[in-house]
């Protein structure tokens, strides 16, 4: 099994540092002064506390480099490398603790492999600096400034080389961004200079004073890191609150479908609360989305537990955040979010509650807009919406030369169904016919309830023969409906429909109203000839059946199509 490139790149510095430290152990060259062991915890604390503060969010010791000159002055190269690695690891754990204690959102949490990689780089750079200092004459009890400067330069150069090599190996096809990569080492350089001053103070006034200075600088770094976390948290929270405030400006006033609204609500919720699975219920409909973000209709099927996170983490269960969306005292919908509690920051759920009035207002507008556009019984668009859509489609066909067909559908003997089985059964019949028409509709077609038991299907781009075939498919779908009469001895009710079709520009009518009138003439003729059939209007009282026959009406048609006008 081949290890991934990124894993190999991450493990290489840690393994190389471990091998070097193990090989050099036993050949230490350092002081044996008695205070070295007593100060080991002090300098380790200095490295760990200093590495908490990382102004450029790098993977170096950053402010913790201040303790390195003290480490090199008191310990052998092997011990110095080990202290640098352990101190950086403790600093990373401290940063995670600070994050947990602050009201901030998660930063990019470095996995344990990446922490080991950074610790390995710190050990390699410290080893190189220690041996350079020994070569240049930096021994315990003395402080030759050229040796200190040389050791610091080697530390920075080795660390920079390791960082640049890491970027090149991880992203071989991308340009090398040298300055951005080595920028965190600026803080290391400043820390190294201050650390040399601490060593000078320790040699001149005693190591207890140096210890106090070292711990003091470490505590200063701790406070700076804590303030940085808080500042970032407050800035992030201010942006989130602004997002909540501006949420209403991002929603159009009208004209959106519930499925589109579900997608918009999901996007707004993601601005304030990280989650994996999403569901919105409203008006008997349910829309959901998984981690991919694709909105679908139906019920979600989330994974049993959240996906694993990098590193070692306690197994967590979903935190289900469920909220009702209310407007004017009425529950319009229900929102459910499946969150990973390990990724939540304090206050995230509170921000969602702040956003909830906006979401409820959106849903309220969508419901009102839907009620204004859709028939309450069948769910189809109402006559007003159809007439507007038909006028727009007719204008496009007239200007662009395309075809447009209208199919008028009328349920046969509907009054008899109401009188025999009751109006509730009649409502179920209308709802069933609407479902059949909607199920058979294709993209771009508009299905509307025209009034009573009449329906209209607008078919853009369809010439007469195509529209007649579409109408026959609709007729068969209605005829196949299985709707019972209700009650214990429920009997199936035979349902049929008559359909009339008219197509422009085969029938050159002046407007969409005349096109519907000709479709109504064809529907009237279909009923006169026995119902349960589809007829296409050809103009001048002639009609075509699905068998290809041309039929002539007995009476003069009430609407006449015009001869095409090729010249004004």
């Amino acid at each position: 099994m081949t290890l991934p490139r990124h894993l190999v790149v991450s493990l290489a510095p840690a393994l190389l540092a471990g091998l070097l430290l193990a090989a050099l152990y036993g050949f230490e060259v350092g002081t044996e002064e008695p205070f070295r062991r007593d100060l080991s915890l002090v300098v380790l604390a200095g490295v760990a506390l200093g590495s908490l503060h990382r102004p450029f969010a790098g993977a170096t010791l950053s402010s913790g480099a201040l303790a390195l000159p003290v480490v090199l002055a008191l310990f052998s190269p092997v011990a110095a490398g080990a202290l640098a690695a352990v101190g950086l690891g403790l600093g990373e754990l401290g940063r995670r603790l600070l994050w947990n204690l602050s009201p901030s959102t998660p930063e990019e949490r470095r996995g344990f492999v990446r922490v080991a990689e950074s610790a390995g780089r710190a050990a390699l750079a410290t080893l190189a600096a220690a041996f350079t200092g020994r070569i240049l004459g930096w021994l315990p009890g003395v402080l030759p400034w050229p040796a200190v400067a040389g050791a610091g330069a080697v530390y920075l150069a080795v660390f920079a080389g390791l960082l640049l090599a890491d970027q090149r190996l991880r992203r071989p096809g991308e340009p090398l961004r040298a300055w951005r990569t080595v920028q965190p080492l600026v803080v290391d350089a400043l820390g190294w200079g201050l650390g040399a001053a601490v060593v000078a103070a320790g040699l001149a006034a005693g190591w207890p004073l140096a210890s106090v200075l070292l711990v003091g600088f470490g505590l200063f770094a701790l406070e700076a890191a804590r303030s940085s976390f808080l500042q970032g948290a407050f800035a992030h929270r201010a942006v989130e609150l602004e997002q909540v405030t501006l949420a209403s400006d991002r929603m159009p006033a009208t004209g959106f479908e519930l499925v589109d609204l579900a997608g918009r609500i999901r996007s707004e919720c993601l601005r304030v609360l990280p989650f994996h699975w999403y569901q919105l219920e409203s008006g008997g409909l349910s829309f959901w989305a998984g981690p991919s973000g694709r909105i679908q209709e139906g019920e979600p099927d989330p994974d049993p537990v959240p996906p694993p996170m990098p590193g070692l983490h306690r197994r967590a269960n979903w935190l289900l955040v469920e909220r009702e969306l209310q407007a004017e005292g009425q529950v319009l919908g229900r929102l459910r979010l499946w969150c990973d509690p390990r990724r939540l920051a304090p206050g995230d759920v509170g921000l969602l509650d702040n956003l909830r009035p906006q979401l409820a207002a959106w849903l309220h507008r969508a419901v009102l807009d839907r009620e204004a556009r859709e028939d309450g019984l069948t769910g189809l668009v109402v006559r007003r919406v159809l007439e507007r859509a038909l006028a727009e489609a007719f204008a496009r066909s007239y200007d662009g030369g395309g075809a447009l067909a209208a199919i008028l559908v009328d349920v046969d003997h509907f009054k008899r169904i109401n009188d025999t089985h009751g109006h509730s059964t009649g409502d179920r019949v209308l709802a069933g016919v609407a479902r059949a028409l909607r199920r058979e509709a294709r993209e771009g077609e508009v299905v509307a309830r025209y009034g009573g038991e009449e329906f209209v299907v607008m078919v853009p781009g369809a010439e007469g023969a195509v529209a007649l075939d579409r109408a026959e498919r609709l007729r068969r779908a209605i005829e196949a409906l299985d709707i019972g009469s209700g009650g214990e001895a429920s009997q199936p009710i035979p349902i049929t429909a008559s359909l009339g079709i008219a197509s422009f520009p085969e029938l050159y009518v002046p407007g969409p109203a005349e096109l519907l009138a000709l479709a109504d003439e064809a529907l009237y003729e279909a009923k006169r000839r026995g119902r349960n059939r589809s007829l296409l209007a050809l103009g001048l009282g002639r009609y075509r059946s699905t068998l290809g026959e041309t039929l002539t009406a007995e009476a003069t048609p009430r609407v006449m199509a015009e001869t095409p006008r090729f010249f004004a």
Side-chain angles (χ1 to χ4, degrees):
M1 180 178 179
T2 304
L3 291 175
R5 176 204 297 267
H6 291 288
L7 182 59
V8 173
V9 174
S10 295
L11 291 176
L15 292 176
L16 179 58
L19 291 174
L20 282 175
L21 290 173
L24 294 172
Y25 183 75
F27 298 96
E28 295 180 340
V29 179
T31 179
E32 297 295 336
E33 297 181 34
F35 56 75
R36 186 189 64 179
R37 181 173 299 176
D38 298 336
L39 292 177
S40 59
L41 293 180
V42 175
V43 295
L44 181 61
V47 175
L49 291 173
S51 63
L52 293 175
H53 182 48
R54 301 176 188 172
F56 297 106
T60 69
L61 284 170
S62 195
S63 300
L66 184 146
L68 288 183
V70 180
V71 173
L72 268 59
L74 294 174
F75 297 91
S76 67
V78 173
L83 284 171
V86 174
L88 189 144
L90 292 176
E92 181 62 33
L93 294 177
R95 286 179 64 84
R96 296 191 182 200
L97 180 61
L98 283 177
W99 170 76
N100 289 328
L101 296 177
S102 64
S104 61
T105 55
E107 62 177 3
E108 182 184 359
R109 298 191 63 169
R110 299 170 60 81
F112 285 101
V113 173
R114 295 297 300 276
V115 174
E117 175 189 8
S118 298
R121 286 199 291 256
L124 292 174
T126 304
L127 278 173
F131 281 111
T132 302
R134 293 295 188 268
I135 293 172
L136 296 178
W138 187 3
L139 298 173
V142 296
L143 188 65
W145 290 104
V148 175
V154 169
Y155 167 83
L156 297 173
V158 171
F159 223 130
L162 291 172
L163 292 174
L164 294 173
D166 177 81
Q167 182 186 350
R168 176 60 70 191
L169 291 173
R170 289 182 186 277
R171 303 175 181 86
E174 296 183 7
L176 193 64
R177 293 173 292 186
W179 168 243
R180 182 176 177 182
T181 302
V182 303
Q183 189 178 28
L185 288 172
V186 172
V187 182
D188 291 64
L190 294 175
W192 188 278
L194 288 175
V198 172
V199 173
L203 293 176
W207 288 110
L209 175 62
S211 301
V212 172
L213 292 175
L214 188 61
V215 173
F217 281 124
L219 293 176
F220 177 79
L222 170 62
E223 179 59 25
R226 191 183 71 87
S227 300
S228 176
F229 272 95
L230 290 177
Q231 182 182 3
F234 294 149
H236 186 82
R237 198 62 71 196
V239 172
E240 289 176 334
L241 290 173
E242 184 181 7
Q243 295 290 346
V244 172
T245 304
L246 298 178
S248 59
D249 297 336
R250 291 189 289 267
M251 176 58 67
T254 185
F256 45 83
E257 301 293 339
L258 273 179
V259 62
D260 299 325
L261 178 65
R264 290 178 179 269
I265 288 180
R266 178 183 178 275
S267 299
E268 291 299 328
C269 290
L270 273 176
R271 294 177 186 272
V272 299
L273 183 68
F275 57 86
H276 291 264
W277 291 79
Y278 160 87
Q279 182 185 18
L280 175 67
E281 292 180 338
S282 178
L285 299 175
S286 173
F287 301 96
W288 66 277
S292 66
R294 186 168 66 91
I295 298 295
Q296 304 177 61
E297 188 171 352
E299 294 294 327
D301 184 22
D303 302 323
V305 293
M309 294 177 62
L312 300 177
H313 297 274
R314 181 175 58 85
R315 195 70 168 177
N317 294 320
W318 289 116
L319 173 63
L320 180 60
V321 179
E322 189 171 359
R323 294 291 187 271
E324 289 183 345
L325 301 180
Q326 301 182 13
E328 298 182 355
Q330 179 184 3
V331 177
L332 302 175
R334 188 175 297 275
L335 182 68
R336 294 188 183 92
L337 306 174
W338 283 261
C339 304
D340 185 346
R342 298 167 298 181
R343 296 183 180 273
L344 290 181
D348 283 349
V349 177
L351 277 174
L352 179 66
D353 290 331
N354 292 338
L355 181 63
R356 188 164 47 153
Q358 298 284 7
L359 303 182
W362 290 357
L363 187 57
H364 190 211
R365 280 158 45 193
V367 169
L368 293 178
D369 187 65
R370 181 183 179 188
E371 290 175 352
R373 293 184 297 112
E374 294 184 4
D375 175 61
L377 174 63
T378 63
L380 302 178
V381 298
V382 295
R383 179 170 180 167
R384 172 178 55 83
V385 177
L386 168 75
E387 289 175 344
R388 183 171 64 246
L390 193 60
E392 294 172 355
F394 187 87
R396 289 194 298 268
S397 298
Y398 189 89
D399 296 337
L404 174 66
I407 303 174
L408 196 59
V409 183
D410 187 273
V411 180
D412 295 330
H413 302 298
F414 183 71
K415 184 177 184 302
R416 183 188 303 172
I417 295 174
N418 269 339
D419 294 342
T420 305
H421 304 285
H423 289 281
S424 61
T425 300
D427 290 345
R428 288 193 289 111
V429 169
L430 293 178
V433 171
R435 285 195 302 272
L437 296 176
R438 188 165 47 230
R439 185 172 59 248
E440 295 293 328
R442 298 175 180 175
E443 185 177 358
E445 298 180 355
V446 177
V447 184
R449 185 179 181 187
Y450 201 57
E453 66 272 22
E454 286 189 330
F455 302 86
V456 173
V457 181
M458 184 188 79
V459 190
E463 297 179 349
V466 175
L468 181 59
D469 180 67
R470 291 284 297 119
E472 185 62 14
R473 289 173 61 90
L474 297 175
R475 187 194 65 79
R476 289 197 293 266
I478 295 172
E479 192 176 26
L481 288 173
D482 183 14
I483 298 178
S485 57
E488 296 182 358
S490 178
Q491 297 293 326
I493 301 174
I495 303 173
T496 61
S498 302
L499 295 89
I501 307 99
S503 178
F504 174 86
E506 293 177 57
L507 296 175
Y508 201 88
V509 291
E514 289 76 13
L515 188 67
L516 283 177
L518 285 170
D520 187 55
E521 291 290 346
L523 171 64
Y524 175 81
E525 185 65 18
K527 285 187 171 292
R528 193 184 70 80
R529 291 180 178 272
R531 295 181 171 83
N532 194 25
R533 66 189 66 219
S534 306
L535 290 181
L536 170 67
L538 300 177
L540 301 176
R542 296 176 299 116
Y543 307 93
R544 180 176 300 154
S545 70
T546 55
L547 299 177
E549 302 172 324
T550 300
L551 309 175
T552 303
E554 295 181 357
T556 303
R558 290 172 287 176
V559 177
M560 300 295 292
E562 301 179 12
T563 303
R565 295 168 291 181
F566 296 102
F567 303 98

